[in-house]
Structure formats: C-alpha cells, structure tokens
Amino acid sequence: MLTIRSTKCPVAFAGVTGALVVLVTAVHVFMVPILPYSLDYFGARSTGRPRHVLPAAGVVDSRLREHFPSDSYGTVAFRGASWKAEIGRWLAGCHANSSSVNVTEAIGTKRCEKDCNGRGVCNYDLGECRCFHGYAGKGCEDVLKLECNLPSSQEWPAGRWIVSICAAHCDTTRAMCFCGPGTKYPDRPVAEACGFKTILPAKPDDPKLTDWKTPDLENIFTTNNSKLGWCNVVPEDAYSSKVEFKKECDCKYDGLWGQFCETRVECSCINQCSGHGHCRGGFCQCDSGYFGIDCSIPSAYSLTYDWPSWLQPPVNLPDLKNSSSIPINVKAVVQKKRPLIYVYDLPAEFDSHLLEGRHFKFQCVNRIYDEKNWTLWTKQLYGAQMALYESILASPHRTLNGDEADYFYVPVLDSCLITRSDDAPHFLMPWDLRLRSYHTLEYYKMAYDHISQQYPYWKRNSGRDHIWFFSWDEGACYAPREIWNSMMLVHWGNTNTKHKNSTTAYWADNWDYIPLDRRGNHPCFDPIKDLVLPAWKEPNPAAIWLKLWARPRNNRTTLFYFNGNLGPAYEGGRPEDTYSMGIRQKLAAEFGSTPNKQGNLGRQHAADVTVTYLRTEKYYEELASSVFCGVLPGDGWSGRMEDSMLQGCIPVIIQDGIFLPYENVLNYNSFAVRIQEDDIPVLINKLRGINETQVEFMLGNVRQMWQRFFYRDSILLEAQRQKTLFSEEAPWSVEVSKLPDDDDVYATFIQVLHYKLYNDPWRQGLLQTKETGLPNICSRAS
C-alpha cells in the first residue's frame, strides 16, 4: 500500500522495493472562527478516534445559551443571518469554532477495459467505463442506434412529431438531426421545423405553421440561390443577402453559434471539466488519468500531478502507466472540515447523457458560450441544480472516502430530465401515464436501485444521510417511496397541510395519478429533514453595481409590488383557473393596478400599490423602489422570493403551508411577512399597519443576508475559469468579485448540513466513531 501522510517535514523517499512513502503537508482552511479559541468554555478539541455518544442537542443548547442569547424575535444572528435561536446558537458556538480533521482519501488505480476505446471515461475507483452518449458495453465497444424518428407510415413519412424529428441525416449516437454527407455543411443542424414544409398563414397576423407530414428536402438541400436553402448556403452570402435561406432553420444545438451554426464554441459542462478535459456536447472527455463528471478526480495514473483545489496536497506519485494489472492502494491523508460530502459518480444516463443529448442549448443549464467563448448566463430558474452540483464538486467539504462521509449526494439531474421527457424515441415517458412527473420518479428509482445495489452506504442508515435534489415545479412530491427517508433539496416546500394534491396547472407534471405503490403516501416536503433552496438567478452586473439591495427606505416609494402572470382575466394570462392555486388571481382582483380584459382595476387599487402583468425592462429597478414585494406561487414555486431579496425588498409571502428557502432554519419573522391566503383582502391594511421602526429593521436584515439567496460560489468558479482564458474581465465577473465575502447559497447549505449532522433527531444517541473537529462544549457529554 502506498500511503501519503501530512507532515511539516521535507519529502523523503526510501529506495526499498515494494515500498514508497510520500510525506506532504495539507491544511484546508474554510471559515475563520468568529470567536477566539482561548475562551474557556470551548475547551480543547478531542484527538484520536472518539468512541462515545455526543451530548443531546438540548444539552449543547443550554450550555451555549448564556453566550448567545436570542433577541426579542427569537433569533440568534450568525454571519449576518437571522437564524432560529437553537440553530444560530449552535452555528455561533460550534460550527464557527470547529477545526479540521484528518481524512484518508483513496486514489483510484483500477484500469478500464481497453481504456474505454476512446468512447468514454474510466472510473479508476471502480474500473468501469462511463460511455459517451450512443455507446455502451464494458469497454464502450457497442455503438447504439438511437433513432430520431418514430415509426413512419404513408401519412407520416418521418413519423409523428417528436422534438428529435428529422427529415435529413440522423446522428444515431445522439438522436440529433444534421444536413449530413453530400452537403456543403454536413454538420449543420436541421432541427425540427427546419426540415418540413411551412404552412403560410391565412391572415396577416396569424402565425406560420409546420406541416409535419411533408418533408421539405427540395429547399433545405437546394443549391439554387433563389430557393429557401439551408444545408448548402454559404453564411457570408446569406448575411450579404446574395442568397435566400429558410428562416425556420436555426442553431438550437449546444456548441454551435451564428445564424448558420458556422462557429464552434464551448459547450456547457459541469465545471467545464475542471481544466482536466474538454466538453463534448455536455459530457466531459477527461484527460488521461482524470475522471468524474467534471474530470475533478485524479487517479494514480495522472501524469501532471496537478491536484484540484478541493484535494490540496502536491503529491508525487509513482509512474503506473506500465504497471501490472494488480491494483495498488494509493491513499492521501488530508485535513478537511466537516461536514464531508461523498458524491456518487452515477452512470452517465443520470447526468452527462442528459446534458449531451439536449436538443436545445438553453435547456437545464445556467450558462452557454458565445462566438468568442464568453459566458452568457441564462435565466433558467432550474439552473440552481447545476450551480449547487458544481459547488459541491469543487468544495473542500467533498470527500472520496465514503466511510468518512457525513452525507451522500445523489446527482440525478431532473432539471434536464423533465425538459427532455419525450424529446426522442429512446427517451419516451412511461406509456401507462405519460406524465413527466412519473418519468422522473422512475429515473430516481433507477438511481436508488443502482446505489443501493452497487455501494454499501445506503443500507448503513437506511438512506437518511443521503441527499437528493428535486428542482422541478413541485419538488419532491413525486419522489419514489424508497428514498423518502433521505434529505430532499427542493424549491417547493409544500407540506400538504392545506394544498394536499398536485398544485400545477400543467397536466404532464401532475402527480396525483402516480400509483401509491410507486410514490408512497408522503408529503412533498418535510421541514424536519428537508431543505428549500433558492432558485437560480443570473448575475446582473448593473443591479450589483447599483447596489439595489442596499437602497434606503426613503427611496422606496411603492408600498407593495408584484409583477407577473395574473391568470385568465388578463391579456396573455394563463387560461387555467387553477394556475397559482388561484392566489395571483385573488390578489389582482383586489389590488390590480393594470386594467384586465374588461377594463377594470382591482377593487382596492391604490397609487402606491403595483399589481400588474405588464413586463418591464425596469423590473429590478421597480423591485428596488418598493418596500414590500409579493411572493406568490406559479405552477408550483416561482422565483419571487429571490427577486425580492436580491433587490432588498421585504418579501410578503402568500402561500399557506408552503415553506420558502431556508424557512425551517432561518427566522423569517425578522425579515419577511406572511399573509394567509384568506387575508388577501386586508393585505394592504396589514402592511400599512407595520411601523417604520419595524420596516427599517426588516430592510436591514434583508440587506445583511441577500447573498444567501445568490449562487455566488458557482458564479465565482466560472469567473476564475474565464480569467484563465481572457485578459479582459466580463462586467458580471468584475461586479460579483467585488461583493463582500458574505455567505451565499452554498455556504448556507454547508452550515445547515453541519448543524443537522449533530442535531438531527435520528442521529441522536448514535455512537460517535469519527473525529468531529468540534470544541469540547459541543462534543462531550459531560
């Protein structure tokens, strides 16, 4: 066994056959304590392997109460946030004064068959290949045939419509449509309507339609400049109007840019392959010796020895390129702070394939790249799943050692899965219900089957230390019953105490009809074990530069503000009465400031109250000019809480029994207002009744903690990557980098996990056999 241990001594080698010892120093520093270690009540840290039961949560809380008393709101502040007293107290006394522990990290040495034949990435821990989209087999030797089209018929020569429908050349490794061999631009996409005849509108204002029964090969393959061509059109000729081209054709696929897809650009991958690989359509093709979804895990065969920042030691490893097939154990002892998170390297169909097979570049990612490979952030609310995943993978809280791990993250990308349901023949939803919600449940069930059968970790605590992220509109409502013991990360905290059934107005996401033997009878959210996380919001350099979150009270002239879809009574409104569970409609009926289809304003409209459906480019400015901002649901959750916090506006929550981000850990009374749905008619009277001292206090708390609703860590990871490519820094990078070092979404997530690690009811009374790094007051029973 090759062992690498931390030391302050120089590295020494002994030339003895069969033995090699490498000594390294590794110190990981994450958070600077806010209290000095010399305070007597903290005591010395325990050393060695403990074998005792930790003190009960109530015991630790009583010890800390004198040092961290709560205020009149029942709040204990920690790093600018208003926490529920027992949580803030523990974070201030225990988390802030925790120290690093020694963790042994195993470095993979198991080779894969034929090095995956260049069609996949070898997982050196398991000795198994993760094959690229369209390949399979132990060594990725099998080439799959993934058709673009459903079965054809005389009426439907290309089959019935599906997103991947193709009238030209189908790349059957990805089920994507291209011009193909024999054309001037064989790699130019022929996506969806591009390949079919266009039905011109009967009236001037009517839209064009697509005749999916009639391929348009005559035009898309033409070399006649007077016809509406595509596959043989020279971009320069089209841009200068020398030739005609079909306007229904565009560049939907990732990795291509320009009206005619003439420029190859960077694709969107997790952590952009961490500098140890390149992104091929969404799947990281790792450099030799590296693996993982983002190529962030080094193996013993890494030739550069350039270790990632989350696994710090500068290690000298033996050259194992020509070693025998007998595995060699290679381990490194590093120092890390708890909580420690193990991330499963799942089969590619749960993550990388979902990214690589996208038919629309904006689907489920929080960024794409332009013609110069500059980052373009998306408004994709579901991008939070990608942002959190990237932060975990790049974090010093990550561990490769499942035996040392406190939590196990299972990275199924449902944000990609749901947007891609039914987008290709091989990706059809279950035939019995045809619901995206059911399709998602089945995928999570398959992931559960995989980890419970292939790894020992699930059975140790019946999955209670596992974490799953359900990012879609109704969160974990459709989690399979087998995984409900676990911690669910969601954007929708519906406890089902009032709204007991599916709340979406979109039929394909409705989960009411999923069989109970598949879903079980659990609520959508359990505040004892689960956590609501903020939705993704793109970094807005202007809003950050203007410091909209810090705008003072006297510049906030609108009392209450809400801008969004108001339902069927308004132009362009959702037609379903069940949209937003009818809450937005009730608000508009009382306080609408824009006329509805009948020309009526709300019954109680007022000059300082804005409730409108009219979109505006000054949305952030208008939020920042308001004292209170409405937080109402849409089809499930909406991003209004994040909009309010990021613009410094006091959130007014109107959704009964539904938790908002961190609401089970933060004290919302100190920075937000909750209004019962039945009290909507008296909403404005209630807000006018809040005195100015209270308003200033709440605005101050919002200013202190707005970054906890912002994925700054993930954004800064991208900023660092861009700085290595360009001498000029993008405006978003400049402004985000200048923000004060306050805690963001990821830091808050880690703090909650650390608290839960030693305070969750199911963990109480367990024998402690791991170093905690906690001060004695938090880790000793007496």
Side-chain angles (χ1 to χ4, degrees):
M1 181 178 72
L2 175 64
T3 303
I4 304 162
R5 296 195 59 83
S6 297
T7 181
K8 293 182 179 179
C9 302
V11 177
F13 291 91
V16 180
T17 304
L20 177 62
V21 179
V22 181
L23 305 174
V24 299
T25 300
V27 178
H28 287 252
V29 179
F30 181 62
M31 284 188 178
V32 179
I34 63 169
L35 293 170
Y37 290 149
S38 58
L39 289 178
D40 290 340
Y41 76 89
F42 280 113
R45 277 136 183 88
S46 55
T47 59
R49 285 285 173 181
R51 293 191 65 81
H52 62 266
V53 175
L54 290 172
V59 172
V60 176
D61 188 67
S62 63
R63 293 173 182 173
L64 297 173
R65 193 178 296 267
E66 176 185 353
H67 305 281
F68 306 101
S70 59
D71 63 16
S72 59
Y73 292 87
T75 292
V76 172
F78 174 68
R79 292 185 63 84
S82 302
W83 298 83
K84 292 188 175 180
E86 67 279 8
I87 300 173
R89 201 171 281 131
W90 191 93
L91 292 173
C94 303
H95 172 82
N97 295 280
S98 63
S99 59
S100 299
V101 299
N102 289 332
V103 179
T104 301
E105 302 284 12
I107 309 303
T109 60
K110 297 178 182 177
R111 293 185 182 276
C112 290
E113 184 168 315
K114 297 182 180 179
D115 221 9
C116 304
N117 286 294
R119 296 171 172 175
V121 175
C122 179
N123 180 318
Y124 292 97
D125 281 339
L126 305 175
E128 297 176 357
C129 291
R130 293 180 91 245
C131 301
F132 301 143
H133 203 292
Y135 299 95
K138 193 172 182 181
C140 304
E141 66 276 7
D142 299 330
V143 182
L144 304 180
K145 191 172 183 181
L146 306 176
E147 297 290 354
C148 292
N149 297 334
L150 295 170
S152 63
S153 65
Q154 186 173 356
E155 183 182 7
W156 299 86
R160 290 186 176 273
W161 177 85
I162 194 169
V163 174
S164 61
I165 193 168
C166 183
H169 172 73
C170 179
D171 175 354
T172 54
T173 63
R174 294 184 292 166
M176 289 184 174
C177 191
F178 297 90
C179 288
T183 64
K184 192 176 187 68
Y185 299 99
D187 296 328
R188 185 175 287 173
V190 185
E192 293 191 87
C194 178
F196 293 85
K197 291 281 188 181
T198 300
I199 303 173
L200 297 177
K203 300 178 181 178
D205 294 334
D206 287 351
K208 292 181 180 180
L209 301 176
T210 301
D211 180 3
W212 299 108
K213 298 180 181 180
T214 311
D216 192 20
L217 304 184
E218 178 185 356
N219 277 318
I220 61 171
F221 288 146
T222 187
T223 56
N224 186 336
N225 290 347
S226 63
K227 287 190 174 183
L228 300 177
W230 179 246
C231 290
N232 295 298
V233 172
V234 177
E236 293 76 12
D237 291 346
Y239 288 136
S240 60
S241 301
K242 293 180 180 179
V243 299
E244 297 290 332
F245 66 94
K246 190 172 183 181
K247 300 295 194 298
E248 288 73 24
C249 298
D250 58 16
C251 198
K252 291 184 177 181
Y253 298 163
D254 198 7
L256 298 168
W257 195 267
Q259 175 73 50
F260 301 93
C261 313
E262 64 270 24
T263 305
R264 291 194 175 274
V265 300
E266 182 82 359
C267 298
S268 299
C269 271
I270 302 296
N271 277 327
Q272 296 311 118
C273 309
S274 307
H276 295 298
H278 77 273
C279 183
R280 58 183 312 278
F283 196 125
C284 280
Q285 185 166 359
C286 301
D287 297 339
S288 178
Y290 287 89
F291 66 104
I293 189 172
D294 64 342
C295 305
S296 63
I297 308 176
S299 74
Y301 306 100
S302 301
L303 302 181
T304 63
Y305 309 128
D306 179 20
W307 283 48
S309 59
W310 69 272
L311 196 60
Q312 284 287 340
V315 182
N316 292 315
L317 292 172
D319 183 3
L320 301 179
K321 285 189 298 181
N322 302 311
S323 67
S324 67
S325 59
I326 300 174
I328 300 173
N329 284 327
V330 181
K331 296 186 177 181
V333 178
V334 298
Q335 290 189 323
K336 290 178 173 289
K337 282 191 172 183
R338 296 194 184 279
L340 297 177
I341 306 171
Y342 179 92
V343 182
Y344 285 104
D345 194 35
L346 294 177
E349 55 262 37
F350 296 107
D351 41 46
S352 297
H353 285 178
L354 294 172
L355 289 167
E356 190 181 5
R358 287 174 299 142
H359 289 86
F360 186 46
K361 65 180 71 176
F362 287 98
Q363 281 179 323
C364 70
V365 297
N366 57 19
R367 63 179 180 272
I368 60 171
Y369 296 89
D370 69 9
E371 72 276 13
K372 296 181 180 179
N373 280 330
W374 284 74
T375 308
L376 292 179
W377 295 104
T378 74
K379 298 182 184 295
Q380 174 69 257
L381 294 175
Y382 310 105
Q385 190 169 56
M386 183 173 178
L388 184 77
Y389 192 11
E390 291 182 323
S391 289
I392 293 174
L393 290 172
S395 169
H397 288 280
R398 180 186 179 189
T399 181
L400 300 174
N401 187 340
D403 292 326
E404 279 286 354
D406 304 310
Y407 295 95
F408 298 83
Y409 187 70
V410 191
V412 179
L413 297 183
D414 78 312
S415 57
C416 288
L417 175 65
I418 287 190
T419 55
R420 290 201 50 210
S421 285
D422 264 4
D423 76 349
H426 69 280
F427 217 62
L428 293 178
M429 295 187 284
W431 281 103
D432 47 356
L433 289 180
R434 304 290 291 171
L435 298 174
R436 299 193 306 184
S437 53
Y438 194 21
H439 194 194
T440 304
L441 179 148
E442 292 297 323
Y443 247 67
Y444 277 89
K445 174 59 165 59
M446 288 190 293
Y448 158 77
D449 289 340
H450 174 78
I451 63 173
S452 62
Q453 294 167 14
Q454 300 297 320
Y455 296 85
Y457 309 124
W458 179 271
K459 296 176 183 177
R460 293 180 183 177
N461 291 301
S462 301
R464 289 178 294 187
D465 50 7
H466 282 56
I467 301 173
W468 308 73
F469 198 154
F470 283 78
S471 70
W472 206 249
D473 294 351
E474 290 199 274
C477 298
Y478 34 81
R481 58 183 176 81
E482 290 84 356
I483 72 171
W484 187 248
N485 272 346
S486 301
M487 180 182 186
M488 304 295 165
L489 303 179
V490 297
H491 299 314
W492 181 241
N494 188 4
T495 60
N496 301 105
T497 52
K498 178 174 182 177
H499 302 286
K500 299 183 183 300
N501 298 312
S502 183
T503 59
T504 181
Y506 182 55
W507 67 270
D509 290 345
N510 191 302
W511 48 268
D512 288 338
Y513 307 107
I514 297 176
L516 280 179
D517 65 326
R518 305 300 293 155
R519 178 187 172 272
N521 194 27
H522 59 74
C524 296
F525 177 78
D526 181 351
I528 295 176
K529 68 179 183 66
D530 302 332
L531 185 67
V532 181
L533 288 180
W536 167 259
K537 290 293 177 177
E538 62 176 326
N540 185 306
I544 297 173
W545 181 73
L546 290 170
K547 297 183 179 179
L548 294 183
W549 70 87
R551 182 168 288 178
R553 167 68 180 91
N554 57 0
N555 290 342
R556 295 177 177 271
T557 54
T558 299
L559 176 69
F560 178 83
Y561 182 86
F562 181 80
N563 186 321
N565 196 304
L566 298 176
Y570 290 83
E571 291 294 336
R574 287 284 296 268
E576 311 94 339
D577 291 332
T578 54
Y579 174 69
S580 186
M581 300 176 287
I583 299 173
R584 294 190 185 193
Q585 295 90 315
K586 293 176 184 176
L587 180 73
E590 294 293 337
F591 306 107
S593 57
T594 304
N596 60 18
K597 291 177 181 177
Q598 281 71 45
N600 299 324
L601 297 173
R603 285 184 287 269
Q604 302 183 60
H605 67 275
D608 59 350
V609 174
T610 298
V611 175
T612 182
Y613 69 93
L614 295 175
R615 294 180 177 273
T616 171
E617 293 182 357
K618 296 182 178 181
Y619 177 61
Y620 293 143
E621 172 70 25
E622 292 180 1
L623 285 165
S625 298
S626 305
V627 180
F628 299 99
C629 294
V631 178
L632 287 73
D635 255 333
W637 60 270
S638 71
R640 308 301 173 164
M641 183 70 187
E642 296 78 6
D643 289 341
S644 300
M645 294 297 293
L646 268 56
Q647 271 52 248
C649 187
I650 299 170
V652 177
I653 302 157
I654 312 176
Q655 41 192 299
D656 297 352
I658 298 167
F659 279 62
L660 275 293
Y662 318 125
E663 194 171 358
N664 51 341
V665 293
L666 295 181
N667 191 324
Y668 261 50
N669 291 333
S670 66
F671 66 94
V673 176
R674 259 200 178 273
I675 298 291
Q676 294 297 304
E677 294 167 23
D678 290 343
D679 288 340
I680 287 176
V682 295
L683 163 66
I684 299 304
N685 288 339
K686 284 178 175 286
L687 297 183
R688 294 194 195 281
I690 301 175
N691 65 58
E692 280 299 313
T693 301
Q694 174 75 355
V695 168
E696 289 283 9
F697 174 77
M698 298 174 82
L699 286 172
N701 283 331
V702 172
R703 284 194 291 269
Q704 285 287 320
M705 56 199 299
W706 72 272
Q707 282 199 60
R708 291 184 184 271
F709 293 77
F710 186 54
Y711 286 86
R712 190 188 65 176
D713 182 78
S714 177
I715 293 166
L716 288 179
L717 287 173
E718 178 66 6
Q720 292 167 9
R721 290 189 288 265
Q722 287 277 290
K723 287 176 184 177
T724 65
L725 299 176
F726 304 104
S727 57
E728 183 182 355
E729 192 172 0
W732 62 264
S733 177
V734 172
E735 296 304 327
V736 174
S737 298
K738 289 192 300 188
L739 287 172
D741 190 23
D742 296 335
D743 294 338
D744 76 330
V745 172
Y746 185 66
T748 307
F749 171 64
I750 290 296
Q751 290 160 11
V752 172
L753 291 188
H754 203 191
Y755 171 80
K756 289 172 67 65
L757 175 59
Y758 298 110
N759 295 276
D760 262 355
W762 73 266
R763 294 187 189 262
Q764 299 295 301
L766 294 181
L767 182 66
Q768 183 63 34
T769 59
K770 300 174 184 176
E771 290 183 73
T772 66
L774 295 175
N776 283 339
I777 193 172
C778 305
S779 60
R780 292 297 182 186
S782 61

